[in-house]
């Protein structure tokens, strides 16, 4: 088990290093000089002397390899950006400064990441609980009215984009009936009740649409598992249905669901652009999109690297859960 985990962690670290190299390369892939982007559009202001000063202030006058080393070291221990009178301290985790407003990128990420985390984790609870429950009950009642309704609803949910479903929820529950107020993000630490009430719509929108996929997958897996010999043996022994289906069948059927859940969770943590835009939240995804449109490369680099960390960490967690759920993987 320890060897299995060490191998996965080393592979994850190698992947992150490769992603960091590619991400850092994006900084120099833009057609414009980063110093010119910081300077502005006015040719009168952006004189060669001004651009040279900005390059020294941002440390862009140093070799690329040295800049990459400083960038990676700054994430863990901080760094000093620039030299001489223009030098600035950037505490860890140092992700640079925005081209547009010269604000530390770590502050921007610290302000927007909680919004994305709030949306994703709440929606994940909805789609996992709702999807697996409906899929399991549908498999146990195959051919019944409940099964047909569940399959039909899941097909509708899987085919409906959140770009349509989100506005429909706003129109029906906010603008027309007034049952809910327009969602405005409030930090959890300030007011938990206001935080939860603001998250209800995005939780339901993202959770319901994703639960359709999980319902179909869990139903198919349960139907396949229920025909296995060990399930028939457990039923022949007279074990209670809750033990047969809840402990034995579901545990065997849940492995593919863990895989999809890990990938979805990692991807959504990297940014839920459409969900944030539809409900007016400024999270990590919307911030990354605006930064890309404005060529604010330090923010783009930080969000891409952070998204990679989430995806890799989710995959490592999935592998660990495999070993817990399926003893064959652990023993192998």
């Amino acid at each position: 088990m320890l060897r299995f985990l060490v191998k996965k962690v080393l592979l994850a670290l190698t992947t992150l290093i490769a992603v960091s190299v590619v991400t850092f390369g994006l900084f120099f892939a833009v057609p414009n000089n980063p110093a010119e982007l910081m300077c502005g559009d006015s040719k009168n202001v952006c004189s060669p002397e001004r651009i040279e000063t900005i390059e020294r202030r941002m440390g862009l006058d140093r070799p690329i390899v040295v800049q990459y080393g400083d960038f990676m070291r700054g994430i863990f221990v901080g760094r000093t950006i620039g030299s001489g009178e223009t030098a600035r301290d950037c505490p860890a985790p140092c992700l640079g400064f925005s081209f547009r407003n010269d604000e530390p990128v770590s502050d921007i990420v610290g302000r927007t990441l909680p919004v994305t985390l709030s949306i994703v984790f709440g929606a994940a609870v909805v789609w996992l609980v709702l999807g697996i429950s409906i899929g399991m009950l549908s498999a146990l009642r195959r051919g019944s009215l409940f099964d047909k309704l569940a399959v039909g609803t899941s097909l509708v949910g899987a085919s409906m984009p959140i770009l349509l479903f989100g506005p429909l929820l706003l129109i029906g529950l906010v603008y027309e009936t007034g049952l809910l107020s327009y969602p405005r993000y409030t930090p959890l630490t300030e007011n938990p009740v206001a935080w939860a009430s603001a998250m209800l719509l995005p939780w339901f929108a993202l959770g319901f649409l994703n639960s359709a996929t999980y319902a179909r997958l869990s139903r198919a897996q349960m139907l396949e598992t229920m025909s296995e010999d060990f399930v028939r043996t457990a039923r022949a022994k007279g074990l209670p249905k809750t033990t047969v289906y809840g402990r034995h069948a579901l545990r065997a059927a849940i492995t593919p669901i863990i895989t999809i859940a890990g990938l979805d969770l990692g991807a959504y943590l990297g940014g839920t652009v459409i969900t944030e835009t539809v409900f007016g939240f400024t999270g990590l995804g919307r911030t990354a999109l605006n930064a890309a449109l404005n060529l604010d490369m330090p923010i783009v680099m930080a969000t891409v690297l952070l998204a990679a960390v989430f995806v890799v960490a989710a995959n490592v967690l999935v592998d660990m859960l495999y070993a817990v759920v399926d003893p064959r993987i652990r023993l192998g």
Side-chain angles (χ1 to χ4, degrees):
M1 181 66 177
L2 180 60
R3 183 184 304 173
F4 174 80
L5 293 179
V6 170
K7 185 187 301 184
K8 292 299 180 180
V9 171
L10 290 177
L11 180 61
L13 292 176
T14 304
T15 303
L16 289 177
I17 292 174
V19 171
S20 69
V21 173
V22 175
T23 303
F24 191 79
L26 292 174
F27 190 88
F28 299 94
V30 293
N32 302 83
N33 185 343
E36 294 178 357
L37 294 175
M38 288 195 67
C39 188
D41 299 328
S42 175
K43 297 299 182 181
N44 296 327
V45 176
C46 293
S47 62
E49 294 79 11
R50 172 65 175 165
I51 293 177
E52 184 179 351
T53 300
I54 294 176
E55 288 180 343
R56 286 198 305 269
R57 185 185 184 194
M58 298 296 296
L60 300 175
D61 57 340
R62 310 176 72 185
I64 295 178
V65 176
V66 176
Q67 292 186 48
Y68 173 74
D70 291 342
F71 174 75
M72 294 302 296
R73 184 170 60 252
I75 294 176
F76 299 100
V77 298
R79 59 176 166 145
T80 300
I81 299 180
S83 58
E85 296 180 355
T86 61
R88 291 182 293 176
D89 289 331
C90 184
C94 178
L95 299 171
F97 292 86
S98 169
F99 284 169
R100 295 299 171 179
N101 55 21
D102 208 30
E103 182 182 1
V105 176
S106 57
D107 291 349
I108 297 174
V109 172
R111 184 171 61 250
T112 57
L113 181 58
V115 180
T116 300
L117 293 177
S118 299
I119 295 174
V120 173
F121 282 119
V125 172
V126 174
W127 80 56
L128 287 174
V129 173
L130 188 63
I132 295 176
S133 299
I134 291 178
M136 184 176 177
L137 292 175
S138 181
L140 295 177
R141 301 180 181 180
R142 183 179 182 181
S144 65
L145 179 60
F146 177 85
D147 182 34
K148 295 177 182 179
L149 289 176
V151 172
T153 304
S154 64
L155 288 174
V156 173
S159 61
M160 184 179 296
I162 195 170
L163 194 60
L164 172 64
F165 188 57
L168 289 178
L169 287 178
L170 288 173
I171 293 174
L173 299 177
V174 177
Y175 301 127
E176 294 295 333
T177 62
L179 294 176
L180 296 174
S181 59
Y182 189 85
R184 300 184 185 278
Y185 179 76
T186 301
L188 175 63
T189 54
E190 291 184 8
N191 191 330
V193 175
W195 169 81
S197 62
M199 292 291 109
L200 286 177
L201 283 177
W203 283 348
F204 181 74
L206 192 60
F208 173 75
L209 297 183
N210 280 276
S211 68
T213 302
Y214 285 84
R216 297 174 65 191
L217 178 61
S218 59
R219 178 182 183 274
Q221 288 299 126
M222 280 294 297
L223 288 175
E224 180 179 350
T225 304
M226 286 165 58
S227 63
E228 296 288 341
D229 292 338
F230 71 92
V231 175
R232 288 197 294 264
T233 302
R235 294 173 61 183
K237 288 181 177 180
L239 295 177
K241 289 185 178 181
T242 54
T243 302
V244 174
Y245 298 123
R247 182 177 178 182
H248 297 289
L250 181 60
R251 185 175 182 181
I254 205 171
T255 304
I257 300 173
I258 292 176
T259 303
I260 302 299
L263 294 175
D264 283 345
L265 192 62
Y268 280 126
L269 286 175
T272 51
V273 180
I274 299 178
T275 305
E276 294 169 10
T277 303
V278 167
F279 294 103
F281 292 132
T282 303
L284 197 64
R286 195 175 180 186
T287 299
L289 177 61
N290 293 334
L293 294 176
N294 294 322
L295 293 179
D296 200 342
M297 296 310 297
I299 298 180
V300 174
M301 290 168 54
T303 52
V304 169
L305 186 59
L306 191 59
V309 170
F310 285 135
V311 171
V312 170
N315 278 275
V316 172
L317 180 61
V318 165
D319 291 333
M320 294 173 63
L321 289 176
Y322 278 168
V324 173
V325 173
D326 193 341
R328 294 171 297 179
I329 297 176
R330 182 170 62 251
L331 296 176

